[in-house]
PDB file of all heavy atoms in Angstrom:
ATOM      1  N   ARG A   1       8.195 -10.241 -14.615  1.00 51.00           N
ATOM      2  CA  ARG A   1       7.953  -9.633 -13.299  1.00 51.00           C
ATOM      3  C   ARG A   1       8.701  -8.318 -13.154  1.00 51.00           C
ATOM      4  O   ARG A   1       8.170  -7.336 -12.632  1.00 51.00           O
ATOM      5  CB  ARG A   1       8.358 -10.622 -12.209  1.00 51.00           C
ATOM      6  CG  ARG A   1       8.054 -10.124 -10.815  1.00 51.00           C
ATOM      7  CD  ARG A   1       8.430 -11.159  -9.802  1.00 51.00           C
ATOM      8  NE  ARG A   1       8.163 -10.688  -8.461  1.00 51.00           N
ATOM      9  CZ  ARG A   1       8.467 -11.358  -7.356  1.00 51.00           C
ATOM     10  NH1 ARG A   1       9.045 -12.564  -7.441  1.00 51.00           N
ATOM     11  NH2 ARG A   1       8.176 -10.857  -6.169  1.00 51.00           N
ATOM     12  N   LEU A   2       9.961  -8.337 -13.637  1.00 44.00           N
ATOM     13  CA  LEU A   2      10.772  -7.110 -13.559  1.00 44.00           C
ATOM     14  C   LEU A   2      10.134  -5.997 -14.384  1.00 44.00           C
ATOM     15  O   LEU A   2      10.083  -4.836 -13.966  1.00 44.00           O
ATOM     16  CB  LEU A   2      12.191  -7.396 -14.069  1.00 44.00           C
ATOM     17  CG  LEU A   2      13.150  -6.198 -14.092  1.00 44.00           C
ATOM     18  CD1 LEU A   2      13.329  -5.652 -12.680  1.00 44.00           C
ATOM     19  CD2 LEU A   2      14.497  -6.606 -14.680  1.00 44.00           C
ATOM     20  N   PHE A   3       9.591  -6.368 -15.538  1.00 45.00           N
ATOM     21  CA  PHE A   3       8.928  -5.382 -16.396  1.00 45.00           C
ATOM     22  C   PHE A   3       7.721  -4.750 -15.692  1.00 45.00           C
ATOM     23  O   PHE A   3       7.511  -3.543 -15.746  1.00 45.00           O
ATOM     24  CB  PHE A   3       8.485  -6.053 -17.695  1.00 45.00           C
ATOM     25  CG  PHE A   3       7.632  -5.174 -18.563  1.00 45.00           C
ATOM     26  CD1 PHE A   3       8.196  -4.152 -19.326  1.00 45.00           C
ATOM     27  CD2 PHE A   3       6.242  -5.341 -18.589  1.00 45.00           C
ATOM     28  CE1 PHE A   3       7.401  -3.348 -20.107  1.00 45.00           C
ATOM     29  CE2 PHE A   3       5.456  -4.520 -19.359  1.00 45.00           C
ATOM     30  CZ  PHE A   3       6.034  -3.518 -20.134  1.00 45.00           C
ATOM     31  N   LEU A   4       6.909  -5.578 -15.012  1.00 44.00           N
ATOM     32  CA  LEU A   4       5.738  -5.081 -14.310  1.00 44.00           C
ATOM     33  C   LEU A   4       6.111  -4.127 -13.177  1.00 44.00           C
ATOM     34  O   LEU A   4       5.461  -3.104 -12.945  1.00 44.00           O
ATOM     35  CB  LEU A   4       4.916  -6.252 -13.745  1.00 44.00           C
ATOM     36  CG  LEU A   4       4.159  -7.089 -14.786  1.00 44.00           C
ATOM     37  CD1 LEU A   4       3.542  -8.306 -14.109  1.00 44.00           C
ATOM     38  CD2 LEU A   4       3.084  -6.251 -15.461  1.00 44.00           C
ATOM     39  N   ILE A   5       7.211  -4.446 -12.463  1.00 46.00           N
ATOM     40  CA  ILE A   5       7.673  -3.588 -11.366  1.00 46.00           C
ATOM     41  C   ILE A   5       8.090  -2.216 -11.900  1.00 46.00           C
ATOM     42  O   ILE A   5       7.731  -1.165 -11.366  1.00 46.00           O
ATOM     43  CB  ILE A   5       8.834  -4.248 -10.607  1.00 46.00           C
ATOM     44  CG1 ILE A   5       8.302  -5.493  -9.863  1.00 46.00           C
ATOM     45  CG2 ILE A   5       9.471  -3.274  -9.622  1.00 46.00           C
ATOM     46  CD1 ILE A   5       9.400  -6.321  -9.228  1.00 46.00           C
ATOM     47  N   ILE A   6       8.871  -2.250 -13.010  1.00 47.00           N
ATOM     48  CA  ILE A   6       9.339  -0.986 -13.609  1.00 47.00           C
ATOM     49  C   ILE A   6       8.155  -0.160 -14.111  1.00 47.00           C
ATOM     50  O   ILE A   6       8.078   1.054 -13.936  1.00 47.00           O
ATOM     51  CB  ILE A   6      10.324  -1.279 -14.766  1.00 47.00           C
ATOM     52  CG1 ILE A   6      11.607  -1.925 -14.209  1.00 47.00           C
ATOM     53  CG2 ILE A   6      10.654   0.004 -15.529  1.00 47.00           C
ATOM     54  CD1 ILE A   6      12.552  -2.414 -15.283  1.00 47.00           C
ATOM     55  N   TRP A   7       7.184  -0.860 -14.728  1.00 46.00           N
ATOM     56  CA  TRP A   7       5.990  -0.173 -15.253  1.00 46.00           C
ATOM     57  C   TRP A   7       5.188   0.499 -14.139  1.00 46.00           C
ATOM     58  O   TRP A   7       4.736   1.629 -14.266  1.00 46.00           O
ATOM     59  CB  TRP A   7       5.138  -1.197 -15.986  1.00 46.00           C
ATOM     60  CG  TRP A   7       3.913  -0.598 -16.622  1.00 46.00           C
ATOM     61  CD1 TRP A   7       3.858   0.233 -17.699  1.00 46.00           C
ATOM     62  CD2 TRP A   7       2.559  -0.824 -16.210  1.00 46.00           C
ATOM     63  NE1 TRP A   7       2.562   0.561 -17.992  1.00 46.00           N
ATOM     64  CE2 TRP A   7       1.737  -0.071 -17.094  1.00 46.00           C
ATOM     65  CE3 TRP A   7       1.956  -1.580 -15.209  1.00 46.00           C
ATOM     66  CZ2 TRP A   7       0.353  -0.062 -16.982  1.00 46.00           C
ATOM     67  CZ3 TRP A   7       0.581  -1.571 -15.106  1.00 46.00           C
ATOM     68  CH2 TRP A   7      -0.207  -0.814 -15.973  1.00 46.00           C
ATOM     69  N   CYS A   8       5.040  -0.197 -13.019  1.00 46.00           N
ATOM     70  CA  CYS A   8       4.328   0.375 -11.870  1.00 46.00           C
ATOM     71  C   CYS A   8       5.036   1.604 -11.327  1.00 46.00           C
ATOM     72  O   CYS A   8       4.407   2.608 -10.985  1.00 46.00           O
ATOM     73  CB  CYS A   8       4.177  -0.678 -10.771  1.00 46.00           C
ATOM     74  SG  CYS A   8       2.994  -1.981 -11.194  1.00 46.00           S
ATOM     75  N   TRP A   9       6.350   1.535 -11.221  1.00 48.00           N
ATOM     76  CA  TRP A   9       7.116   2.692 -10.728  1.00 48.00           C
ATOM     77  C   TRP A   9       6.966   3.892 -11.670  1.00 48.00           C
ATOM     78  O   TRP A   9       6.851   5.037 -11.238  1.00 48.00           O
ATOM     79  CB  TRP A   9       8.590   2.327 -10.573  1.00 48.00           C
ATOM     80  CG  TRP A   9       8.896   1.762  -9.234  1.00 48.00           C
ATOM     81  CD1 TRP A   9       9.174   0.466  -8.918  1.00 48.00           C
ATOM     82  CD2 TRP A   9       8.950   2.492  -8.006  1.00 48.00           C
ATOM     83  NE1 TRP A   9       9.389   0.318  -7.572  1.00 48.00           N
ATOM     84  CE2 TRP A   9       9.263   1.567  -6.975  1.00 48.00           C
ATOM     85  CE3 TRP A   9       8.755   3.828  -7.657  1.00 48.00           C
ATOM     86  CZ2 TRP A   9       9.385   1.926  -5.643  1.00 48.00           C
ATOM     87  CZ3 TRP A   9       8.894   4.197  -6.347  1.00 48.00           C
ATOM     88  CH2 TRP A   9       9.196   3.257  -5.348  1.00 48.00           C
ATOM     89  N   CYS A  10       6.931   3.622 -12.959  1.00 48.00           N
ATOM     90  CA  CYS A  10       6.753   4.701 -13.937  1.00 48.00           C
ATOM     91  C   CYS A  10       5.398   5.395 -13.753  1.00 48.00           C
ATOM     92  O   CYS A  10       5.289   6.612 -13.830  1.00 48.00           O
ATOM     93  CB  CYS A  10       6.854   4.153 -15.358  1.00 48.00           C
ATOM     94  SG  CYS A  10       8.543   3.718 -15.845  1.00 48.00           S
ATOM     95  N   LEU A  11       4.356   4.564 -13.493  1.00 46.00           N
ATOM     96  CA  LEU A  11       3.036   5.137 -13.258  1.00 46.00           C
ATOM     97  C   LEU A  11       3.026   6.027 -12.025  1.00 46.00           C
ATOM     98  O   LEU A  11       2.426   7.106 -12.011  1.00 46.00           O
ATOM     99  CB  LEU A  11       1.994   4.027 -13.099  1.00 46.00           C
ATOM    100  CG  LEU A  11       1.580   3.283 -14.374  1.00 46.00           C
ATOM    101  CD1 LEU A  11       0.584   2.172 -14.028  1.00 46.00           C
ATOM    102  CD2 LEU A  11       0.968   4.245 -15.380  1.00 46.00           C
ATOM    103  N   VAL A  12       3.691   5.583 -10.962  1.00 43.00           N
ATOM    104  CA  VAL A  12       3.761   6.369  -9.723  1.00 43.00           C
ATOM    105  C   VAL A  12       4.471   7.691  -9.964  1.00 43.00           C
ATOM    106  O   VAL A  12       4.025   8.762  -9.545  1.00 43.00           O
ATOM    107  CB  VAL A  12       4.465   5.571  -8.606  1.00 43.00           C
ATOM    108  CG1 VAL A  12       4.729   6.461  -7.400  1.00 43.00           C
ATOM    109  CG2 VAL A  12       3.617   4.368  -8.209  1.00 43.00           C
ATOM    110  N   ILE A  13       5.624   7.605 -10.671  1.00 45.00           N
ATOM    111  CA  ILE A  13       6.410   8.824 -10.932  1.00 45.00           C
ATOM    112  C   ILE A  13       5.617   9.797 -11.803  1.00 45.00           C
ATOM    113  O   ILE A  13       5.558  10.997 -11.547  1.00 45.00           O
ATOM    114  CB  ILE A  13       7.749   8.462 -11.606  1.00 45.00           C
ATOM    115  CG1 ILE A  13       8.642   7.704 -10.607  1.00 45.00           C
ATOM    116  CG2 ILE A  13       8.445   9.717 -12.114  1.00 45.00           C
ATOM    117  CD1 ILE A  13       9.866   7.090 -11.249  1.00 45.00           C
ATOM    118  N   CYS A  14       4.952   9.253 -12.836  1.00 47.00           N
ATOM    119  CA  CYS A  14       4.152  10.125 -13.725  1.00 47.00           C
ATOM    120  C   CYS A  14       3.015  10.778 -12.958  1.00 47.00           C
ATOM    121  O   CYS A  14       2.702  11.953 -13.153  1.00 47.00           O
ATOM    122  CB  CYS A  14       3.599   9.314 -14.884  1.00 47.00           C
ATOM    123  SG  CYS A  14       4.856   8.842 -16.098  1.00 47.00           S
ATOM    124  N   SER A  15       2.375  10.001 -12.087  1.00 50.00           N
ATOM    125  CA  SER A  15       1.278  10.535 -11.282  1.00 50.00           C
ATOM    126  C   SER A  15       1.755  11.653 -10.380  1.00 50.00           C
ATOM    127  O   SER A  15       1.107  12.696 -10.248  1.00 50.00           O
ATOM    128  CB  SER A  15       0.648   9.414 -10.457  1.00 50.00           C
ATOM    129  OG  SER A  15      -0.371   9.919  -9.638  1.00 50.00           O
ATOM    130  N   CYS A  16       2.902  11.462  -9.748  1.00 48.00           N
ATOM    131  CA  CYS A  16       3.467  12.506  -8.871  1.00 48.00           C
ATOM    132  C   CYS A  16       3.787  13.761  -9.657  1.00 48.00           C
ATOM    133  O   CYS A  16       3.513  14.882  -9.220  1.00 48.00           O
ATOM    134  CB  CYS A  16       4.727  11.983  -8.183  1.00 48.00           C
ATOM    135  SG  CYS A  16       4.387  10.722  -6.940  1.00 48.00           S
ATOM    136  N   ASN A  17       4.378  13.567 -10.851  1.00 49.00           N
ATOM    137  CA  ASN A  17       4.730  14.723 -11.679  1.00 49.00           C
ATOM    138  C   ASN A  17       3.482  15.476 -12.122  1.00 49.00           C
ATOM    139  O   ASN A  17       3.449  16.695 -12.172  1.00 49.00           O
ATOM    140  CB  ASN A  17       5.524  14.274 -12.911  1.00 49.00           C
ATOM    141  CG  ASN A  17       6.959  13.886 -12.562  1.00 49.00           C
ATOM    142  OD1 ASN A  17       7.472  14.321 -11.534  1.00 49.00           O
ATOM    143  ND2 ASN A  17       7.575  13.069 -13.404  1.00 49.00           N
ATOM    144  N   GLU A  18       2.410  14.719 -12.439  1.00 48.00           N
ATOM    145  CA  GLU A  18       1.166  15.348 -12.872  1.00 48.00           C
ATOM    146  C   GLU A  18       0.546  16.142 -11.736  1.00 48.00           C
ATOM    147  O   GLU A  18       0.081  17.271 -11.930  1.00 48.00           O
ATOM    148  CB  GLU A  18       0.188  14.280 -13.346  1.00 48.00           C
ATOM    149  CG  GLU A  18      -1.057  14.847 -14.005  1.00 48.00           C
ATOM    150  CD  GLU A  18      -0.758  15.613 -15.271  1.00 48.00           C
ATOM    151  OE1 GLU A  18       0.256  15.329 -15.938  1.00 48.00           O
ATOM    152  OE2 GLU A  18      -1.530  16.543 -15.583  1.00 48.00           O
ATOM    153  N   ASN A  19       0.553  15.562 -10.521  1.00 47.00           N
ATOM    154  CA  ASN A  19       0.018  16.275  -9.354  1.00 47.00           C
ATOM    155  C   ASN A  19       0.822  17.521  -9.073  1.00 47.00           C
ATOM    156  O   ASN A  19       0.281  18.570  -8.723  1.00 47.00           O
ATOM    157  CB  ASN A  19       0.024  15.366  -8.123  1.00 47.00           C
ATOM    158  CG  ASN A  19      -1.030  14.272  -8.224  1.00 47.00           C
ATOM    159  OD1 ASN A  19      -1.999  14.411  -8.952  1.00 47.00           O
ATOM    160  ND2 ASN A  19      -0.818  13.172  -7.510  1.00 47.00           N
ATOM    161  N   LYS A  20       2.142  17.405  -9.211  1.00 45.00           N
ATOM    162  CA  LYS A  20       3.018  18.557  -8.983  1.00 45.00           C
ATOM    163  C   LYS A  20       2.727  19.651  -9.991  1.00 45.00           C
ATOM    164  O   LYS A  20       2.673  20.831  -9.676  1.00 45.00           O
ATOM    165  CB  LYS A  20       4.485  18.114  -9.083  1.00 45.00           C
ATOM    166  CG  LYS A  20       5.473  19.222  -8.737  1.00 45.00           C
ATOM    167  CD  LYS A  20       6.892  18.687  -8.767  1.00 45.00           C
ATOM    168  CE  LYS A  20       7.897  19.793  -8.403  1.00 45.00           C
ATOM    169  NZ  LYS A  20       9.288  19.283  -8.455  1.00 45.00           N
ATOM    170  N   LYS A  21       2.494  19.214 -11.268  1.00 44.00           N
ATOM    171  CA  LYS A  21       2.180  20.180 -12.316  1.00 44.00           C
ATOM    172  C   LYS A  21       0.888  20.920 -12.019  1.00 44.00           C
ATOM    173  O   LYS A  21       0.799  22.138 -12.145  1.00 44.00           O
ATOM    174  CB  LYS A  21       2.075  19.448 -13.651  1.00 44.00           C
ATOM    175  CG  LYS A  21       1.803  20.366 -14.846  1.00 44.00           C
ATOM    176  CD  LYS A  21       1.737  19.563 -16.118  1.00 44.00           C
ATOM    177  CE  LYS A  21       1.437  20.473 -17.308  1.00 44.00           C
ATOM    178  NZ  LYS A  21       1.318  19.690 -18.565  1.00 44.00           N
ATOM    179  N   VAL A  22      -0.156  20.175 -11.575  1.00 44.00           N
ATOM    180  CA  VAL A  22      -1.431  20.798 -11.230  1.00 44.00           C
ATOM    181  C   VAL A  22      -1.268  21.782 -10.092  1.00 44.00           C
ATOM    182  O   VAL A  22      -1.813  22.877 -10.097  1.00 44.00           O
ATOM    183  CB  VAL A  22      -2.475  19.713 -10.871  1.00 44.00           C
ATOM    184  CG1 VAL A  22      -3.732  20.357 -10.309  1.00 44.00           C
ATOM    185  CG2 VAL A  22      -2.815  18.878 -12.105  1.00 44.00           C
ATOM    186  N   LEU A  23      -0.475  21.383  -9.074  1.00 43.00           N
ATOM    187  CA  LEU A  23      -0.258  22.252  -7.929  1.00 43.00           C
ATOM    188  C   LEU A  23       0.477  23.515  -8.331  1.00 43.00           C
ATOM    189  O   LEU A  23       0.137  24.620  -7.907  1.00 43.00           O
ATOM    190  CB  LEU A  23       0.529  21.492  -6.851  1.00 43.00           C
ATOM    191  CG  LEU A  23       0.771  22.244  -5.536  1.00 43.00           C
ATOM    192  CD1 LEU A  23      -0.569  22.610  -4.907  1.00 43.00           C
ATOM    193  CD2 LEU A  23       1.581  21.398  -4.571  1.00 43.00           C
ATOM    194  N   LEU A  24       1.490  23.361  -9.207  1.00 43.00           N
ATOM    195  CA  LEU A  24       2.228  24.533  -9.666  1.00 43.00           C
ATOM    196  C   LEU A  24       1.306  25.474 -10.440  1.00 43.00           C
ATOM    197  O   LEU A  24       1.369  26.685 -10.293  1.00 43.00           O
ATOM    198  CB  LEU A  24       3.399  24.097 -10.548  1.00 43.00           C
ATOM    199  CG  LEU A  24       4.606  23.484  -9.816  1.00 43.00           C
ATOM    200  CD1 LEU A  24       5.605  22.942 -10.828  1.00 43.00           C
ATOM    201  CD2 LEU A  24       5.271  24.498  -8.903  1.00 43.00           C
ATOM    202  N   GLN A  25       0.410  24.889 -11.255  1.00 53.00           N
ATOM    203  CA  GLN A  25      -0.523  25.726 -12.005  1.00 53.00           C
ATOM    204  C   GLN A  25      -1.456  26.474 -11.052  1.00 53.00           C
ATOM    205  O   GLN A  25      -1.745  27.647 -11.247  1.00 53.00           O
ATOM    206  CB  GLN A  25      -1.322  24.861 -12.972  1.00 53.00           C
ATOM    207  CG  GLN A  25      -0.516  24.371 -14.155  1.00 53.00           C
ATOM    208  CD  GLN A  25      -1.308  23.441 -15.049  1.00 53.00           C
ATOM    209  OE1 GLN A  25      -2.316  22.881 -14.633  1.00 53.00           O
ATOM    210  NE2 GLN A  25      -0.855  23.269 -16.281  1.00 53.00           N
ATOM    211  N   ALA A  26      -1.901  25.790 -10.011  1.00 54.00           N
ATOM    212  CA  ALA A  26      -2.782  26.434  -9.035  1.00 54.00           C
ATOM    213  C   ALA A  26      -2.088  27.599  -8.351  1.00 54.00           C
ATOM    214  O   ALA A  26      -2.664  28.661  -8.152  1.00 54.00           O
ATOM    215  CB  ALA A  26      -3.243  25.416  -8.006  1.00 54.00           C
ATOM    216  N   ASN A  27      -0.812  27.406  -8.003  1.00 66.00           N
ATOM    217  CA  ASN A  27      -0.068  28.461  -7.308  1.00 66.00           C
ATOM    218  C   ASN A  27       0.224  29.660  -8.201  1.00 66.00           C
ATOM    219  O   ASN A  27       0.697  30.688  -7.716  1.00 66.00           O
ATOM    220  CB  ASN A  27       1.250  27.897  -6.756  1.00 66.00           C
ATOM    221  CG  ASN A  27       1.042  27.097  -5.485  1.00 66.00           C
ATOM    222  OD1 ASN A  27       0.153  27.414  -4.707  1.00 66.00           O
ATOM    223  ND2 ASN A  27       1.825  26.056  -5.296  1.00 66.00           N
ATOM    224  N   MET A  28      -0.033  29.518  -9.484  1.00 73.00           N
ATOM    225  CA  MET A  28       0.199  30.627 -10.404  1.00 73.00           C
ATOM    226  C   MET A  28      -1.092  31.391 -10.703  1.00 73.00           C
ATOM    227  O   MET A  28      -1.082  32.371 -11.426  1.00 73.00           O
ATOM    228  CB  MET A  28       0.798  30.095 -11.711  1.00 73.00           C
ATOM    229  CG  MET A  28       2.197  29.506 -11.557  1.00 73.00           C
ATOM    230  SD  MET A  28       2.782  28.732 -13.072  1.00 73.00           S
ATOM    231  CE  MET A  28       2.915  30.152 -14.154  1.00 73.00           C
ATOM    232  N   VAL A  29      -2.211  30.935 -10.139  1.00 82.00           N
ATOM    233  CA  VAL A  29      -3.517  31.530 -10.439  1.00 82.00           C
ATOM    234  C   VAL A  29      -4.097  32.182  -9.191  1.00 82.00           C
ATOM    235  O   VAL A  29      -4.049  31.608  -8.101  1.00 82.00           O
ATOM    236  CB  VAL A  29      -4.494  30.450 -10.963  1.00 82.00           C
ATOM    237  CG1 VAL A  29      -5.869  31.054 -11.216  1.00 82.00           C
ATOM    238  CG2 VAL A  29      -3.947  29.810 -12.229  1.00 82.00           C
ATOM    239  N   ASN A  30      -4.645  33.388  -9.371  1.00 86.00           N
ATOM    240  CA  ASN A  30      -5.283  34.076  -8.243  1.00 86.00           C
ATOM    241  C   ASN A  30      -6.634  33.462  -7.916  1.00 86.00           C
ATOM    242  O   ASN A  30      -7.371  33.039  -8.807  1.00 86.00           O
ATOM    243  CB  ASN A  30      -5.498  35.558  -8.567  1.00 86.00           C
ATOM    244  CG  ASN A  30      -4.218  36.341  -8.603  1.00 86.00           C
ATOM    245  OD1 ASN A  30      -3.555  36.389  -9.629  1.00 86.00           O
ATOM    246  ND2 ASN A  30      -3.868  36.965  -7.505  1.00 86.00           N
TER     247      ASN A  30
END
């Protein structure tokens, strides 16, 4: 159960980082 909780949190963090990366890329493009 602990493993599943940690795995889910990792997915959330990775998703947030990916969205942030996309947003940063957008802000660098005219």
Side-chain angles (χ1 to χ4, degrees):
R1 184 178 179 184
L2 178 61
F3 172 77
L4 288 173
I5 292 173
I6 294 172
W7 183 70
C8 289
W9 271 107
C10 287
L11 286 177
V12 171
I13 292 170
C14 288
S15 178
C16 290
N17 286 338
E18 188 63 27
N19 289 337
K20 185 176 181 181
K21 182 179 179 182
V22 171
L23 183 60
L24 285 173
Q25 287 176 341
N27 282 327
M28 294 174 66
V29 178
N30 289 86

